[in-house]
Structure formats: structure tokens, C-alpha cells
């Protein structure tokens, strides 16, 4: 099995910055994609940013230019650098990892979530 450990959430004032990290460990043949989703109270979980094995990234329109997603393949870790935070960024942020097995079967894993709260 694969375990995901997230860190870096917290409380920050509007305009501030935070960096989230998520490290995958366990039975990993290779990682196809890593990224972040978020879920605010009363809302559906939504994509924030992802990065695939080749390095291509994808961002939600609401965070483009403010957030940066990156990964350290040697450490099986994905980061989310968040700047110019807004109150509407308040949510639980979840790490999402797509792992490839030795037979190229894709398995999806979610982290436990980390709270990000932005005060106005």
C-alpha cells in the first residue's frame, strides 16, 4: 500500500503565503501524477493544481498566477506554494497521487487533508 503524509496547512492573513507538502511512501513502482484538490464547507472537492511525471502542470483558473505546484521525484513529494492568499482559498486541501503498478495499472490515493484558513 501507499501512504501520503501532508503538512504545511494553517492560518494566514489575506495576502500571505503558505507552502503545502505531500510525501508518498510504500509500494510505489512509479508515480504518474501528483497534485492538490480542495474542499470548502458546503462545496464539492475541486482541482487546485496537478503535475504529471513529465513535468506538465495544470491549474484551476482561480489560482493561476498565485499558486505554484512542483514535485521532487527523488523524494516522491509534491509541493504547493500558495501566495497572495484570499479568504476564498479557505478549504481543506487534499493531496492526490496516481501510482502506477509494475503492470501499469493506475491506483489513486488521497491524503488525509490539511486545513488552510485565510482571514480577511
Amino acid at each position: 500500500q501507499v501512504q501520503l503524509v501532508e503538512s504545511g496547512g494553517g492560518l494566514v492573513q489575506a495576502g500571505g503565503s503558505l507552502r503545502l507538502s505531500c510525501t508518498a511512501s510504500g509500494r510505489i513502482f512509479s508515480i504518474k501524477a501528483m497534485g492538490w484538490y480542495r474542499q470548502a464547507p458546503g462545496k464539492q472537492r475541486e482541482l487546485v493544481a496537478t503535475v504529471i511525471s513529465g513535468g506538465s502542470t495544470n491549474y484551476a483558473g482561480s489560482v493561476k498566477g498565485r499558486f505554484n505546484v512542483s514535485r521532487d521525484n527523488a523524494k516522491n513529494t509534491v509541493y504547493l506554494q500558495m501566495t497572495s492568499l484570499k479568504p476564498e482559498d479557505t478549504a481543506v486541501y487534499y493531496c492526490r497521487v496516481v501510482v502506477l503498478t509494475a503492470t501499469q495499472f493506475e491506483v489513486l490515493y488521497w491524503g488525509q487533508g490539511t486545513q488552510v484558513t485565510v482571514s480577511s
Side-chain angles (χ1 to χ4, degrees):
Q1 295 302 314
V2 174
Q3 297 78 42
L4 302 181
V5 177
E6 303 169 350
S7 62
L11 173 64
V12 65
Q13 288 188 332
S17 299
L18 282 174
R19 190 175 86 148
L20 307 181
S21 65
C22 171
T23 299
S25 62
R27 297 175 63 86
I28 298 172
F29 180 72
S30 67
I31 295 178
K32 179 179 180 180
M34 305 183 83
W36 297 91
Y37 285 65
R38 68 186 180 188
Q39 187 166 18
K43 295 187 176 182
Q44 290 188 331
R45 192 173 296 187
E46 62 177 5
L47 167 73
V48 177
T50 60
V51 54
I52 65 173
S53 57
S56 297
T57 57
N58 183 39
Y59 294 90
S62 61
V63 307
K64 274 185 180 178
R66 299 189 298 122
F67 291 10
N68 183 69
V69 64
S70 61
R71 62 187 280 183
D72 185 330
N73 292 327
K75 296 181 179 180
N76 288 337
T77 298
V78 62
Y79 304 97
L80 184 68
Q81 179 67 50
M82 304 183 291
T83 62
S84 302
L85 282 160
K86 305 175 182 180
E88 50 265 42
D89 294 318
T90 295
V92 177
Y93 284 68
Y94 295 91
C95 175
R96 177 182 181 270
V97 175
V98 180
V99 173
L100 291 177
T101 67
T103 55
Q104 300 299 293
F105 186 73
E106 296 184 7
V107 183
L108 174 62
Y109 294 93
W110 290 95
Q112 79 280 5
T114 184
Q115 177 70 46
V116 171
T117 303
V118 183
S119 62
S120 57

